[in-house]
Amino acid sequence: VGCAAGHMLEEARARGWEVAGVELAGAAAARARSRLGDAVRDGSLAAAGFPGGSFDAVTLFDLLEHVFDPEAELREAARVLVPGGALALTTPDAGAASRRMLGAAWPHYKDEHLWSFTRAGLASLLARAGFEVREMRRAVKTVDVEYLAGHAARYPAGGAGAAAASLLRLVPAPLRRAPFPASLGELFVVARKTTPPR
């Protein structure tokens, strides 16, 4: 859900999964469809009209904070999952150390993020939607210095963003694109569909 240009769907298909994706952004959905064909639909999960129990797994990566009704989104994910099906998601962690340090200047406080979740709040929301949390931990993403510099410049923290971007650009050019793992104040959650939603 929120498959963007379909890169994760391609990886899953290469590993033997039968895939389907939905994407609200028309241009991104078109790019995904150019590589994956009819496996990608425009719009929301609810609008896609998948029958109940269609999937073994559903992913909501960097999505839940963007939707108007997170509980409704999770309930729809539960509806399309088989009993015991897996849900994986990432979302900013309002309890992260970076949020506590930066306060109102935290980069995940941006206009397109409608919601912020703590671990306890997210676990409660998932339970109401019919899920049992199996794993909840800091998300780690593979990034490079160019990504971090662009991110810092795009989401300035009271002027500190531009300064951080300038410092990051001091890294020698050959090293700027070298990938490394980083935790950027987000949660990674795996949950299992257990009960009908409450």
Side-chain angles (χ1 to χ4, degrees):
V1 182
C3 68
H7 300 297
M8 198 202 78
L9 291 174
E10 285 185 317
E11 290 295 324
R13 182 179 274 178
R15 287 166 170 74
W17 287 81
E18 183 180 340
V19 300
V22 294
E23 173 56 49
L24 281 171
R31 282 195 304 275
R33 222 176 359 268
S34 72
R35 291 193 306 272
L36 295 153
D38 292 340
V40 177
R41 300 180 187 189
D42 287 87
S44 67
L45 178 59
F50 295 114
S54 293
F55 301 105
D56 294 313
V58 170
T59 61
L60 301 166
F61 295 138
D62 301 320
L63 179 110
L64 207 55
E65 64 273 17
H66 294 273
V67 300
F68 289 115
D69 190 341
E71 186 169 338
E73 194 75 18
L74 289 169
R75 286 175 182 269
E76 180 64 8
R79 187 189 70 77
V80 301
L81 278 168
V82 298
L87 174 77
L89 67 87
T90 57
T91 193
D93 178 7
S98 60
R99 204 274 316 149
R100 292 193 304 275
M101 286 188 312
L102 295 172
W106 189 44
H108 290 296
Y109 287 147
K110 43 192 170 183
D111 291 343
E112 62 266 32
H113 286 184
L114 307 178
W115 301 94
S116 296
F117 302 100
T118 62
R119 289 175 183 239
L122 186 56
S124 176
L125 180 65
L126 285 160
R128 288 195 310 272
F131 290 99
E132 176 189 23
V133 174
R134 294 296 181 92
E135 178 181 0
M136 186 179 292
R137 61 176 167 79
R138 284 184 303 144
V140 175
K141 294 184 176 179
T142 301
V143 297
D144 59 32
V145 171
E146 286 293 326
Y147 172 85
L148 292 177
H151 196 72
R154 186 171 168 209
Y155 301 109
S166 296
L167 286 173
L168 289 169
R169 294 210 185 276
L170 294 176
V171 173
L175 299 178
R176 288 184 194 158
R177 301 293 294 174
F180 61 91
S183 177
L184 304 175
E186 296 171 308
L187 289 171
F188 173 75
V189 181
V190 174
R192 188 124 347 236
K193 176 180 172 177
T194 56
T195 62
R198 287 188 245 157

